[in-house]
């Protein structure tokens, strides 16, 4: 996948053409009909429930935003695939049969769903890839900057291990699901930072991102390497970090090595405070989800200028070039910036995080 600097220039040109009415007159086949008003239905296909972000943040934020953009006349039709690509294909077909206005698609398997994307396109239904870059003729893509996620994780782990002072220090690399294109980008970004600075003793891809699969892989890694020789663990997300930490504890490790994560899940934020997990990556769900809702509504209502302004980046997928995109930045989440991230964005209340069990750990870092 490639990001290009010409995106801004390209969208400036598009804007000026659009304002002359040139583009509107020749809008592509399959484009949304500009006659749609507020009475629209946005289809939302999310991939799984094991990770709390989807049901706790992505869905409710998108629903609320669609409602507010359509003066409460628009609606969201939501389906979750429970990590099954087949189930997601059926859910997508149902939305096509129902003649939904636009689909926001977070793919379980970005390759397998290409067929569904093509069918939607043939039916005149725009598809916007949400968070994961689905293959096929998608109209747009919105996600976080996934290479940056991997770089932030890798850099943090290298810093925790002495900045490459001893490249023989062994780490375990626990990557995400092989059917999720983001997982490849997290891994590539992390490898850019890790290579030459540490020794990757064992590396796994984790089926369906499941914490229990990561835990089983970690048990195997501990058997092979020996718990005492593991200096750190690269975990691609927080759910898996939980399984990894459980495996380390079960092997009798009392001083846990640095373990990375992603998603700022509540349990992970709490582990960061108690020192069990080293870091996570905070992705502002409101920023991604609200922009996705804006893109979907603008697309259906034929608001081209607004849509272009929302998609000023460009990426390539294995099947499409120069996809109009928005890539949202991310930050490392550590003990030091809990207030400025998850609390400032209202993701969690202080009282959710600093329960009575965590009171003294919270006090130690002046939280609360
Ligand atoms: C990724 C997503 C992450 C995390 C992971 C596990 O695609 O970008 O935020 O949710 O899937 O589901």
């Amino acid at each position: 996948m490639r990001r290009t600097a010409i995106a801004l220039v390209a969208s400036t040109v598009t804007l000026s053409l659009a304002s002359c009415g040139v583009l509107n007159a020749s809008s592509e086949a399959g484009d949304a009909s500009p006659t749609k008003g507020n009475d629209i239905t946005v289809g939302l296909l999310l991939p799984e429930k094991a990770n709390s972000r989807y049901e706790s943040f992505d869905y409710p934020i998108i629903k609320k935003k669609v409602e507010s953009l359509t003066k409460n006349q628009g609606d969201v039709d939501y389906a979750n695939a429970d990590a099954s690509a087949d189930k997601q294909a059926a859910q997508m077909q149902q939305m096509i049969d129902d003649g939904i206005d636009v689909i926001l698609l977070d793919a379980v398997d970005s390759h397998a769903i290409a067929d569904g994307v093509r069918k939607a396109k043939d039916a005149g239904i725009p598809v916007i890839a949400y968070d994961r870059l689905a293959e096929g003729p998608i109209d747009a893509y919105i996600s976080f900057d996934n290479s940056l996620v991997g770089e932030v994780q890798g850099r943090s782990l290298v810093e925790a291990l002495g900045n490459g002072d001893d490249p023989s220090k062994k780490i375990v690399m626990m990557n995400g699901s092989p059917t999720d294109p983001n997982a490849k980008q997290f891994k590539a970004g992390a490898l850019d930072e890790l290579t030459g600075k540490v020794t990757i003793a064992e590396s796994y891809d984790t089926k369906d991102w499941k914490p229990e699969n990561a835990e089983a892989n970690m048990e195997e890694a501990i058997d092979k390497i020996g718990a005492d020789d593991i200096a750190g663990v690269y975990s691609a997300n927080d759910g898996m970090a939980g399984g990894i930490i459980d495996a380390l504890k079960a092997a009798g490790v009392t001083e846990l090595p640095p373990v990375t994560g992603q998603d700022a899940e509540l349990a992970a934020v709490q582990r960061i405070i108690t020192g069990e997990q080293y870091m996570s990556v905070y992705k502002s769900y409101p920023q991604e989800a609200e922009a996705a809702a804006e893109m979907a509504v603008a697309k259906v209502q034929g608001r081209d200028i607004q849509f272009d302004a929302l998609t000023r980046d460009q990426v390539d997928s294995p099947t499409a070039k120069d996809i109009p995109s928005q890539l949202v930045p991310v930050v490392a989440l550590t003990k030091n910036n809990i207030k400025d991230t998850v609390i400032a964005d209202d993701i969690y209340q202080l009282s959710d995080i600093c329960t009575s069990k965590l009171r003294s750990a919270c006090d130690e870092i002046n939280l609360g």
Side-chain angles (χ1 to χ4, degrees):
M1 207 177 81
R2 182 176 54 95
R3 248 177 296 156
T4 60
I6 56 162
L8 197 62
V9 180
S11 63
T12 315
V13 174
T14 315
L15 277 183
S16 53
L17 289 178
S19 54
C20 304
V22 176
L23 280 187
N24 286 342
S26 62
S27 96
E28 275 174 57
D31 264 11
S33 150
T35 54
K36 287 269 176 186
N38 282 327
D39 183 15
I40 57 175
T41 307
V42 175
L44 174 64
L45 294 167
L46 294 181
E48 47 127 318
K49 293 179 187 157
N51 188 314
S52 61
R53 60 167 287 185
Y54 300 110
E55 302 239 307
S56 303
F57 304 111
D58 297 274
Y59 169 50
I61 296 171
I62 289 173
K63 184 172 162 59
K64 197 165 160 217
K65 189 71 182 176
V66 167
E67 286 167 359
S68 83
L69 289 168
T70 58
K71 302 198 170 71
N72 283 324
Q73 291 170 47
D75 203 5
V76 172
D77 184 358
Y78 163 59
N80 189 298
D82 287 313
S84 158
D86 289 345
K87 189 166 175 182
Q88 188 164 63
Q91 291 170 336
M92 189 162 189
Q93 186 59 54
Q94 186 63 54
M95 288 185 180
I96 297 170
D97 294 345
D98 292 346
I100 206 135
D101 293 305
V102 57
I103 297 176
L104 285 171
L105 167 65
D106 194 341
V108 174
D109 183 325
S110 58
H111 182 68
I113 202 70
D115 217 34
V117 174
R118 233 167 275 121
K119 285 184 189 152
K121 182 85 181 172
D122 291 346
I125 301 169
V127 178
I128 298 170
Y130 181 68
D131 201 78
R132 300 178 183 173
L133 186 55
E135 294 182 20
I138 55 169
D139 292 77
Y141 169 57
I142 172 147
S143 187
F144 292 100
D145 186 335
N146 295 311
S147 308
L148 181 63
V149 171
E151 285 165 29
V152 166
Q153 294 169 321
R155 204 175 310 141
S156 300
L157 189 56
V158 165
E159 276 167 18
L161 295 177
N163 281 313
D165 62 349
D166 176 4
S168 72
K169 284 182 185 163
K170 290 182 185 159
I171 69 151
V172 175
M173 193 171 197
M174 204 67 76
N175 300 296
S177 163
T179 64
D180 175 353
N182 292 356
K184 290 187 195 74
Q185 289 182 271
F186 302 148
K187 187 176 180 174
L191 282 173
D192 277 351
E193 298 290 331
L194 297 168
T195 307
K197 305 262 174 51
V198 292
T199 299
I200 300 168
E202 294 294 330
S203 177
Y204 298 90
D205 291 328
T206 311
K207 191 171 181 316
D208 298 334
W209 286 99
K210 291 219 165 107
E212 58 269 34
N213 295 341
E215 186 171 346
N217 289 336
M218 192 64 204
E219 283 163 9
E220 191 190 290
I222 293 169
D223 278 350
K224 287 189 178 163
I225 307 167
D228 293 344
D229 276 344
I230 298 174
V233 183
Y234 166 86
S235 169
N237 84 356
D238 289 338
M240 300 197 305
I244 289 162
I245 290 167
D246 286 348
L248 285 164
K249 284 187 186 164
V253 177
T254 44
E255 273 204 26
L256 289 162
V259 178
T260 64
Q262 164 182 199
D263 288 327
E265 291 208 321
L266 181 57
V269 175
Q270 292 176 322
R271 287 194 296 263
I272 289 173
I273 293 170
T274 58
E276 287 193 323
Q277 184 172 326
Y278 182 63
M279 60 86 70
S280 181
V281 176
Y282 176 58
K283 304 159 88 167
S284 169
Y285 302 123
Q287 225 179 311
E288 184 188 39
E290 288 179 4
E294 286 174 19
M295 280 162 69
V297 172
K299 187 77 193 162
V300 177
Q301 295 182 335
R303 297 175 197 263
D304 295 345
I305 296 176
Q306 214 181 351
F307 187 79
D308 290 342
L310 287 161
T311 51
R312 292 206 159 141
D313 297 311
Q314 283 185 326
V315 302
D316 295 345
S317 80
T319 59
K321 290 232 168 315
D322 301 334
I323 300 160
S325 304
Q326 184 177 146
L327 298 180
V328 179
V330 299
V331 290
L333 177 79
T334 64
K335 276 186 182 174
N336 304 324
N337 62 352
I338 292 172
K339 257 192 202 145
D340 305 332
T341 52
V342 286
I343 293 184
D345 272 7
D346 242 356
I347 300 291
Y348 308 121
Q349 306 300 309
L350 205 53
S351 54
D352 300 330
I353 300 174
C354 294
T355 54
S356 51
K357 214 171 131 206
L358 263 78
R359 193 62 269 162
S360 64
C362 282
D363 287 345
E364 258 175 59
I365 56 166
N366 294 323
L367 202 60

